[in-house]
Amino acid sequence: MGKLFILFAVMPIVEIAVLIHVGEIIGGWNTVAIVLFTAFVGAYLVKREGISTLTTAQRKMQQGKVPGEEMAQGLLLVIAGVLLVTPGFVTDFIGLLFTLPPTRKFFAKSLMAKMVASPNVSASFTTGQFNQHGFKQGTAQSSDADGDIIEGEYHATDNERLNTPQDDNHNSDNQRRR
């Protein structure tokens, strides 16, 4: 934790020093133009890679697999987006490393290994279905080949009414009164 604090305390100083040095070499307006250009290109790359990662995660969920690595890559893409729109060359370089697929996968695997090794990490996985009426959170209680039971929750939407015996009795009482 101390190393991370030192990194965040020193980063702005290093960033300003690099910006001043580059500005002295190529000029202030050229430096500003490069910083703006990298922000726009970075935002485009993060969007493109984010959609790709989301598609892969959805495909894995449809196959019944937990998209752990894709979730780690998504986290890295969020961090990359922040770094790429932050003015500076050092943050742009780090953001680019988190955006490019080969280096992002490397960092995601490292992050996953660190999370698995940590005793204080827990996760949960929810499945659901998106249809024309919105997202319907589903419940699954199924048994796989090993006999493991997977439990979940189910929430009915307004478009669905569950007919329970109590509801049927209540409805028939109301009809008799009319």
Side-chain angles (χ1 to χ4, degrees):
M1 187 70 159
K3 293 177 187 178
L4 193 60
F5 177 74
I6 292 171
L7 176 69
F8 284 119
V10 173
M11 181 67 77
I13 297 167
V14 171
E15 199 70 78
I16 292 170
V18 170
L19 283 170
I20 290 172
H21 185 67
V22 171
E24 289 174 350
I25 295 172
I26 65 171
W29 289 111
N30 290 335
T31 303
V32 170
I34 291 172
V35 167
L36 289 175
F37 177 74
T38 58
F40 285 114
V41 170
Y44 168 76
L45 287 174
V46 167
K47 179 182 175 185
R48 187 185 75 184
E49 292 300 317
I51 291 170
S52 172
T53 302
L54 179 63
T55 304
T56 305
Q58 287 176 336
R59 192 176 323 115
K60 273 192 169 181
M61 285 191 296
Q62 288 173 349
Q63 296 171 352
K65 298 177 184 174
V66 177
E69 187 175 330
E70 287 75 13
M71 290 172 27
Q73 287 186 32
L75 174 64
L76 290 174
L77 283 169
V78 169
I79 295 169
V82 171
L83 291 173
L84 286 167
V85 298
T86 302
F89 294 110
V90 177
T91 54
D92 287 346
F93 178 74
I94 296 169
L96 188 63
L97 287 177
F98 287 175
T99 304
L100 298 175
T103 52
R104 185 179 69 243
K105 288 178 183 178
F106 169 77
F107 287 121
K109 286 181 182 179
S110 299
L111 180 63
M112 292 292 294
K114 200 167 196 116
M115 289 178 71
V116 169
S118 174
N120 297 328
V121 174
S122 66
S124 81
F125 183 74
T126 303
T127 62
Q129 177 182 10
F130 192 79
N131 60 27
Q132 65 186 12
H133 303 295
F135 186 77
K136 178 175 93 176
Q137 190 167 352
T139 299
Q141 182 170 3
S142 63
S143 191
D144 64 3
D146 297 332
D148 294 336
I149 296 175
I150 302 170
E151 294 186 35
E153 296 179 357
Y154 177 84
H155 299 279
T157 62
D158 288 341
N159 296 335
E160 297 177 76
R161 291 289 175 209
L162 300 175
N163 288 329
T164 61
Q166 180 181 17
D167 290 340
D168 289 338
N169 291 337
H170 182 70
N171 289 337
S172 62
D173 289 341
N174 284 340
Q175 289 174 354
R176 279 188 235 140
R177 290 181 190 154
R178 291 185 189 171

